[in-house]
Amino acid sequence: MSSALPYKISVLVFIENAAGEQLLMLRAKQPNLGVWTPIGGKLEMATGESPFECAVRETQEETGLVVTTEQLHLFAMIAEKAYQGHNHWLMFLFRCKLPIGALPPDMVEGTFAFFSRAAVDTLPIPETDKKALWPIFDQHKHGFVSLRADCSVAPIEIVVEQITAGQASNP
């Protein structure tokens, strides 16, 4: 039963360049070794770090881009049950409203590249990203959605728990 697995809390930050291309990292470590994902990381729970604080920290650590919480938009929360059979994850998804000026240098976590949104769908990306995260980004990046994904079954079961419409005119 998946309930005995540890629970981890993380953030993902969707960042674009001025041309509207998505910044993705080819992961060099687990989870998601060898696939492309937005940047992000785990909350420092021992310090009481909030998801917004974590998104600000991870953005600077992984890309060098310095942002404030006001330059981030929380557009989704997703609970993944039994991801890869190892952990449950509670993820907070942010859209960075500040474009990044240049490709960050490679790091121990992985290498970076920019991709058009259409090209993202052709890349090796995690199954949950393909089925849930990118469609959520496309539909709700200016609003908010909460959902859960049961990764312990095939196909993955995704349930939307709440949607708040946004205004597409937001930068």
Side-chain angles (χ1 to χ4, degrees):
M1 176 91 181
S2 61
S3 61
L5 298 174
Y7 218 118
K8 296 188 177 187
I9 302 173
S10 67
V11 303
L12 288 178
V13 183
F14 291 70
I15 302 173
E16 297 178 356
N17 63 14
E21 296 170 312
Q22 301 295 321
L23 175 68
L24 297 181
M25 178 189 287
L26 180 59
R27 295 282 174 178
K29 296 176 156 186
Q30 288 290 3
N32 298 323
L33 174 67
V35 295
W36 293 95
T37 68
I39 67 145
K42 294 186 275 303
L43 265 70
E44 294 179 352
M45 291 187 279
T47 66
E49 185 176 53
S50 77
F52 274 89
E53 290 170 323
C54 181
V56 166
R57 177 180 55 78
E58 289 289 346
T59 298
Q60 184 171 3
E61 285 178 2
E62 294 189 359
T63 71
L65 183 64
V66 178
V67 297
T68 64
T69 57
E70 293 79 18
Q71 293 167 317
L72 297 171
H73 171 67
L74 175 64
F75 70 91
M77 181 179 67
I78 180 169
E80 287 183 331
K81 186 179 293 184
Y83 183 72
Q84 295 182 337
H86 298 288
N87 299 294
H88 303 303
W89 287 91
L90 180 59
M91 294 186 304
F92 294 86
L93 281 56
F94 292 88
R95 179 179 58 86
C96 183
K97 297 185 261 184
L98 180 68
I100 191 165
L103 201 59
D106 295 347
M107 60 184 296
V108 68
E109 300 286 330
T111 60
F112 295 96
F114 290 118
F115 297 96
S116 70
R117 176 58 192 93
V120 171
D121 292 333
T122 69
L123 298 172
I125 61 175
E127 183 183 2
T128 52
D129 289 18
K130 189 176 300 258
K131 290 189 172 190
L133 271 55
W134 284 104
I136 287 166
F137 175 81
D138 294 339
Q139 297 172 28
H140 303 287
K141 64 184 170 189
H142 299 291
F144 179 79
V145 63
S146 176
L147 61 113
R148 66 180 182 266
D150 187 346
C151 302
S152 69
V153 297
I156 294 170
E157 292 178 2
I158 298 169
V159 176
V160 174
E161 296 177 316
Q162 182 179 33
I163 296 175
T164 304
Q167 297 178 1
S169 62
N170 289 351

